[in-house]
Amino acid sequence: MDTERIVIKDVQNPKDSELIKAAQILREGGLVAFPTETVYGLGGNALDEQAAKKIYRAKGRPSDNPLIAHISCMEELEPLVREIPKAGRILAERYWPGPLTMIFPKSSLVPYGTTGGLDTVAVRMPKDRVANRLIRLAGVPVAAPSANTSGRPSPTTADHVWQDLEGKIEMVVDGGPVGIGLESTIVDVSSPVPVILRPGAITQEMLGQVLGQISLDPAISGPGQEGLRPRAPGMKYKHYAPRAEMTLVEVKEETMEQLYRPGSFLHGQVSRMMTESGRNWKMKIEIFYMAWKVNEAAAQMEKTGARVGVICTEETMDEYTAGIKRSIGRRDSEVSVAHNLYGVLREFDDLGVDFIYAESFSETHLGNAIMNRLNKAAGYRILWV
Ligand code: TXA
Ligand code: MG
C-alpha cells in the first residue's frame, strides 16, 4: 500500500481542506495516523470492527488489547457509554479536551472488536487542534492506539510513525512534533473510587485535587507480586522496550548519608558543591555520584566490546566520560524530559547500542509518568548505587 503524507501548514489553525481526505478515509474504514497533544495515534473508525482488525494488524498488536475511542466534543460521548458516573462528569468538565482518558461502561454501539472483548470503553477527547478537527470531520469516534509498531517506543513525530507504519496504512497526517510526549493519563471512573490505570500529564495530584479520592492501580508501580495483572491490559510488564538492555540508576538513601559525612571519599567534592550550588547542593552531589558510578559500569562494558548508551540531562551531561550520551532534557523541567523521552529511546535503537544506563527522576507530579515509562523500558531493572 502507498502511504500518503499530508503536512499541516499551521498546526494551530488546520484547514478543513487539509483534513478532509483523512476524514473520508477514516469514515470509509481505512487507517490514518495523526498527531495529538500526547503522542501520534493510529486512527480507524471505532464503530467498525473491521477497522479495529486493521489497526491490530498494522501495529502487530494482540487483539485483546483494547483501543481508546477519541471524540471531539461532549455530545459524542453519550452514544458510546451506558452511563456517565459523577467522577466522569467532574473530570470531563475540568480536563477535557486534554491528555486524559476515562473508562466507562460501554453501550451496545461500541463493538467488542474495539474494546478487546471488555464491557467497558476507554474514551478521550484530544485538545490538539489537528486531532480534534479531524475527528469532528470524520463524523465517527476514532479508535487510536499510539501509532508505533507494538513494543516500540510511542511516536512523538511524524517521522517516527513513518519508520514504523509506512506502507501499512493509508495516510499519515504530519503535524510536527507533539507537545507532551507521553500517553494520556487513564482513569477508570466506572468503579466507586476512581483508579489511575496509567499515569500521564494529568497527574495524581491534579486528579486528587478535584476528586478528593483517587487510587492507583497497584500493578503499575512495578512488576509486583506474581499474578498481579494491570487493569489496563496494555500496561503489561515491559512494553515500551528499546532494543538494548536498559538499566535505571538510582542512588540509595544510605549512600547519600555516607557522602555527606566528613572524611568520606567524595567529601572534597561535597564541600565544593555545597559552596558552589547553594540550595541545590544535595541534588548536585547525587547526580555527581550517579554519573561517577555509570562511568565505571559503562567503561567496564565497553571493554568487552559492547556499545553503551547513557541517558543523561543538560545539567549532568559534562559529568559522563564513557558511553554514547544523549540528553533527555533538563532536570529542572519535567516537561522537557517527558517531551524527549521516547525520541531518545528511538535514537538509541537506531544507533544500535547494546546497553543503556538511564538517570532516574523524582516520582511526584509528571515525574510519576516519566518514571513509569522509564521503568517499563528497563523492564524494572535498577542499578542501586
Ligand atoms: O495518549 C494516548 O492515550 C494515545 C493517543 C493516541 O491518544 N493513545 C494510546 O493508546 O496511548 P494505546 O492503545 O497505546 O494505549 C491504550 C491503553 C492500553 O494500555 C489499553 O490496555 C488501555 O488503554 N485500555 C483501553 N481500553 C481499556 C478498557 N476498557 N479498560 C482498561 N484499559 C483500557
Ligand atoms: Mg501504546
Side-chain angles (χ1 to χ4, degrees), residues 34 36 38-42 59 61 65-68 70 99 101 103-104 114-115 118-122 124 126 144-148 154 182-186 188 197-198 231-235 239:
F34 61 95
T36 81
T38 57
V39 299
Y40 270 75
L42 171 56
K59 275 182 65 87
R61 171 174 177 161
N65 193 353
L67 306 173
I68 297 172
H70 294 67
T101 297
I103 312 286
F104 297 96
T114 299
T115 68
L118 298 175
D119 284 313
T120 51
V121 60
R124 170 157 118 79
S146 48
N148 52 292
S154 291
L182 298 179
E183 304 85 346
S184 61
T185 307
I186 304 180
D188 187 348
L197 306 189
R198 179 173 73 183
R231 279 164 61 178
M235 292 297 281
H239 178 61

Side-chain angles (χ1 to χ4, degrees), residues 333-363:
S333 160
E334 285 174 334
V335 167
S336 73
V337 174
H339 185 80
N340 297 322
L341 196 154
Y342 286 133
V344 169
L345 292 183
R346 276 188 181 252
E347 199 181 341
F348 277 131
D349 271 359
D350 298 341
L351 286 167
V353 298
D354 306 299
F355 298 95
I356 300 172
Y357 288 101
E359 288 181 14
S360 47
F361 299 86
S362 121
E363 294 201 35

Side-chain angles (χ1 to χ4, degrees), residues 3-9 11 14-23 25 32-35 40 130 134 158 162 170-176:
T3 304
E4 194 176 339
R5 183 161 173 165
I6 303 278
V7 181
I8 306 297
K9 289 214 180 66
V11 292
K15 293 204 181 70
D16 284 359
S17 58
E18 295 173 300
L19 294 173
I20 207 82
K21 188 167 178 193
I25 293 170
V32 175
F34 61 95
Y40 270 75
V130 176
L134 174 61
W162 200 256
E170 276 80 1
M171 185 183 277
V172 176
V173 176
D174 182 345

Side-chain angles (χ1 to χ4, degrees), residues 265-280:
F265 61 112
L266 275 180
H267 192 67
Q269 298 289 354
V270 170
S271 317
R272 178 174 67 82
M273 282 182 226
M274 278 171 84
T275 37
E276 281 175 9
S277 332
R279 234 162 23 88
N280 284 333

Side-chain angles (χ1 to χ4, degrees), residues 188-265:
D188 187 348
V189 290
S190 71
S191 49
V193 174
V195 188
I196 299 174
L197 306 189
R198 179 173 73 183
I202 306 294
T203 64
Q204 185 172 5
E205 292 86 348
M206 290 160 79
L207 293 164
Q209 245 165 35
V210 284
L211 289 180
Q213 251 189 324
I214 179 102
S215 67
L216 201 63
D217 181 2
I220 64 180
S221 44
Q225 307 97 296
E226 247 347 275
L228 196 61
R229 297 187 58 190
R231 279 164 61 178
M235 292 297 281
K236 273 180 220 136
Y237 193 39
K238 190 158 181 179
H239 178 61
Y240 313 95
R243 295 190 179 117
E245 185 181 295
M246 181 164 144
T247 304
L248 266 170
V249 186
E250 299 231 34
V251 180
K252 288 185 268 191
E253 266 305 310
E254 63 194 72
T255 308
M256 293 300 292
E257 278 160 27
Q258 273 171 25
L259 289 178
Y260 307 146
R261 236 173 254 153
S264 82
F265 61 112

